[in-house]
Amino acid sequence: MAKKNEFSTVDFESFSQGFWTETDRACAVLGGAYLDAALESLFRRCLSSLKKELLEYPGPLSSFSSRIRVAYSLSWIDTSIYDDLNIIRGIRNDFAHSFDHELCFDNQSVADRCRNLKSASASIDGFNACAKNNPQMAPSAIDEMRRVFEPPKRRFQVAVESLAELLGKLAPSSSFEFTGPNLHDFCYSKSANLLVIFQGHGVAPPLRSDV
């Protein structure tokens, strides 16, 4: 029987809808947990045996950090993915272990790290191409959509969803060479090929693309 928190059993649409309306602390913790589960799912797809012993506590691959390091050492993920996952893990830890009720994504340390998320930056850059793919929309409207995703919390959310989707698509080889896709190109194409769907509740919608 699959575990309730196993990545493959998560309804992405339901998770995404709630994820974009969470408090800062819940967003950080849930985002980290979601990517941790995505990595666990990757290992479950690739390991041929001893999955329970390795992946479940106190196994050597039971923590988010160990999964990131081992996936990188096996070249299942590249440096860009590795860096983004560690940034998100660090932010998750800050919120999970801090007693500061005022800690938020606008905190200087948190905001600076969110600005360093390569997946979010690539997604935001993709809006420049989105205008070309949606000629019926004014460039100013596309630019306004791009600005919606620039605040630190929105960057974090975009990065979590993009990385989770990418990890779900990976099919690592045994050659110890990263087989892609390239993180920047993957995230850039998601927003560049965005299917514009307006939602009336005023909350920034998740990125939906046809790629």
Side-chain angles (χ1 to χ4, degrees):
M1 180 179 296
K3 296 190 300 179
K4 291 183 178 180
N5 64 338
E6 188 171 318
F7 181 74
S8 62
T9 68
V10 174
D11 182 337
F12 177 79
E13 293 295 332
S14 297
F15 172 84
S16 181
Q17 185 176 14
F19 182 54
W20 285 81
T21 59
E22 291 288 0
T23 64
D24 284 16
R25 189 179 297 270
C27 174
V29 174
L30 283 173
Y34 194 52
L35 290 179
D36 187 12
L39 270 177
E40 179 182 352
S41 180
L42 176 62
F43 275 98
R44 288 188 181 279
R45 295 198 306 273
C46 297
L47 294 175
S48 61
S49 60
L50 300 178
K51 297 179 183 181
K52 181 176 181 180
E53 291 84 347
L54 293 172
L55 293 169
E56 297 182 16
Y57 183 83
L61 295 176
S62 61
S63 70
F64 193 12
S65 60
S66 64
R67 290 168 184 170
I68 294 171
R69 289 196 300 270
V70 173
Y72 181 59
S73 71
L74 292 171
S75 296
W76 291 0
I77 59 176
D78 67 1
T79 302
S80 295
I81 302 171
Y82 174 80
D83 290 342
D84 271 17
L85 288 172
N86 273 315
I87 288 174
I88 290 171
R89 182 181 64 84
I91 292 173
R92 187 279 308 266
N93 288 347
D94 286 354
F95 279 94
H97 302 300
S98 173
F99 294 106
D100 181 2
H101 293 292
E102 296 183 358
L103 181 63
C104 64
F105 278 94
D106 289 328
N107 173 277
Q108 189 67 52
S109 173
V110 177
D112 286 345
R113 282 176 284 171
C114 287
R115 279 189 284 271
N116 286 328
L117 286 166
K118 300 178 181 69
S119 48
S121 295
S123 295
I124 292 170
D125 288 345
F127 280 103
N128 295 326
C130 184
K132 299 178 181 178
N133 298 326
N134 291 275
Q136 74 280 9
M137 291 194 65
S140 59
I142 297 292
D143 190 55
E144 179 60 30
M145 292 179 62
R146 178 184 59 79
R147 285 196 292 269
V148 167
F149 294 99
E150 288 184 342
K153 184 177 181 180
R154 297 307 185 204
R155 285 176 174 266
F156 181 89
Q157 291 165 318
V158 167
V160 167
E161 292 200 347
S162 296
L163 287 164
E165 183 178 353
L166 186 149
L167 290 171
K169 294 178 181 294
L170 290 182
S173 70
S174 58
S175 65
F176 292 98
E177 293 183 3
F178 179 64
T179 56
N182 176 271
L183 179 63
H184 175 275
D185 293 347
F186 179 84
C187 296
Y188 182 91
S189 65
K190 282 175 61 64
S191 50
N193 296 288
L194 186 70
L195 298 178
V196 178
I197 301 175
F198 289 98
Q199 298 182 7
H201 46 62
V203 177
L207 291 181
R208 299 170 182 266
S209 71
D210 56 4
V211 295

